[in-house]
Amino acid sequence: MNKIALITGATAGIGRAAALQLSEKSYNIIVTGRREDRLVALVNELKKKGVKACTLCFDIQKHVEVKKAIASLDDTWKNISLLVNNAGLAAGLDPVDTADINDWETMIGTNIKGLLYISKEIIPFMIKNGEGHIINIGSIAGKETYANGSVYCATKAAVDAISKGMRIDLLSKNIRVTTISPGMVDTEFSMVRFKGDKNKAAKVYEGLIPLHPEDVADAIVYAATRPPHVTINEMLIMPTAQAGAHYVKRN
Ligand code: NDP
Ligand code: 8X3
């Protein structure tokens, strides 16, 4: 029987690539996000690859929506053995004294609270089944704070801390916890951060080859497919042209 993976933020970037690559490892897939048209198109693509797939469309910042969405799954789909906590974003790149408080709320609501809300709904299914794996997407930004990114960096440092806590709390439940922390990845991330400003977004990746979403998906698949007695606790994955949050080689 195929295992079931639920991937948050599968309408774009890393989440979408992870859904496609996990389907090649025979996972049946639940894809989530807010843009329903993209979820439906992805499910059709996944079904063509011969796996079962379904969508859950909700805003992960809203606790009630998360609870309702997960409760709506039928019992078979609730047997989730892999949760990929990927949905997330940066909003703005501003000094702490002038940043927009709404941007802070969005980042904290999505990257920290959203990750916790959905994990809390799914962990009981894993406990019932006696096994599970949670892969949380962190960032180099969680390891090294950079100028004007204090709250985004804080949310990703929180992902690291929550992952460590989950690993301890779920030790007796046979649930593996992995954090995958990428450097720059060419997704919609910068378009979202700069609120649709294409020039600002393009400048982030100018003169270098960033990671592609498929590179991170590859790491997700690697962590997910280790033998049951092996846990990859953490992976930090950078483009070759990036040595840390502050060190980038541009041509
Ligand atoms: P994208 O913008 O391409 O994808 C983000 C995904 O998150 C989308 O599917 C989006 O879906 C979903 N999402 C955002 N907000 C919400 C919400 N409120 N409710 C539900 N879903 C939401 O970016 P990436 O693929 O790059 O980002 C994926 C993860 O990787 C994030 O956690 C990000 O912080 C992290 N990361 C990214 C890096 C990069 O350089 N790109 C580097 C390191 C980490 P929708 O809008 O349809 O709701
Ligand atoms: C995204 C990577 O360095 O742009 O988490 O913050 S960075």
Side-chain angles (χ1 to χ4, degrees):
M1 207 173 71
N2 288 5
K3 289 186 166 193
I4 297 174
L6 186 149
I7 302 156
T8 69
T11 57
I14 295 167
R16 181 182 147 75
L20 290 166
Q21 286 193 25
L22 284 166
S23 74
E24 280 158 22
K25 298 289 174 194
S26 299
Y27 277 88
N28 292 334
I29 316 265
I30 305 165
V31 288
T32 85
R34 291 165 300 182
R35 286 169 286 183
E36 191 159 25
D37 53 337
R38 289 194 185 199
L39 291 175
V40 170
L42 178 57
V43 158
N44 289 335
E45 213 174 318
L46 290 167
K47 284 181 178 166
K48 281 190 197 140
K49 286 171 168 283
V51 299
K52 293 187 178 145
C54 73
T55 69
L56 285 179
C57 188
F58 60 88
D59 183 343
I60 205 162
Q61 297 177 85
K62 298 185 176 146
H63 187 212
V64 175
E65 276 192 33
V66 176
K67 271 180 90 84
K68 233 166 101 177
I70 301 303
S72 76
L73 287 169
D74 73 28
D75 284 347
T76 311
W77 277 111
K78 282 180 180 161
N79 291 313
I80 294 161
S81 62
L82 173 64
L83 166 63
V84 183
N85 277 320
N86 163 77
L89 80 169
L93 185 66
D94 301 294
V96 74
D97 54 325
T98 57
D100 185 336
I101 284 183
N102 292 320
D103 286 346
W104 292 353
E105 304 283 5
T106 304
M107 289 186 279
I108 293 167
T110 310
N111 303 356
I112 304 179
K113 290 165 125 185
L115 180 150
L116 289 168
Y117 294 156
I118 192 142
S119 300
K120 192 148 192 314
E121 295 309 308
I122 289 168
I123 288 166
F125 305 149
M126 293 179 169
I127 291 175
K128 190 168 156 240
N129 288 334
E131 61 99 26
H133 191 170
I134 301 171
I135 299 182
N136 294 324
I137 305 301
S139 170
I140 181 65
K143 320 269 179 204
E144 299 174 39
T145 300
Y146 52 78
N148 305 325
S150 54
V151 173
Y152 177 68
C153 294
T155 65
K156 290 300 177 177
V159 171
D160 274 358
I162 291 166
S163 300
K164 285 178 188 150
M166 282 179 165
R167 200 172 295 121
I168 296 163
D169 294 349
L170 302 174
L171 177 64
S172 64
K173 313 291 184 195
N174 195 31
I175 296 176
R176 302 189 278 184
V177 181
T178 300
T179 318
I180 295 181
S181 301
M184 279 188 240
V185 194
D186 187 9
T187 63
E188 294 175 11
F189 178 85
S190 292
M191 280 290 279
V192 171
R193 165 169 256 172
F194 297 117
K195 299 166 186 172
D197 185 327
K198 282 189 190 143
N199 292 333
K200 275 191 181 171
K203 277 213 162 359
V204 175
Y205 311 109
E206 211 169 66
L208 63 91
I209 303 176
L211 294 171
H212 305 304
E214 291 73 19
D215 299 322
V216 184
D218 194 34
I220 292 169
V221 169
Y222 178 80
T225 54
R226 290 314 83 209
H229 68 289
V230 177
T231 297
I232 305 293
N233 279 7
E234 293 187 28
M235 291 172 88
L236 177 58
I237 310 167
M238 307 297 283
T240 304
Q242 189 181 9
H246 308 280
Y247 303 99
V248 175
K249 179 180 176 292
R250 295 183 198 272
N251 295 322

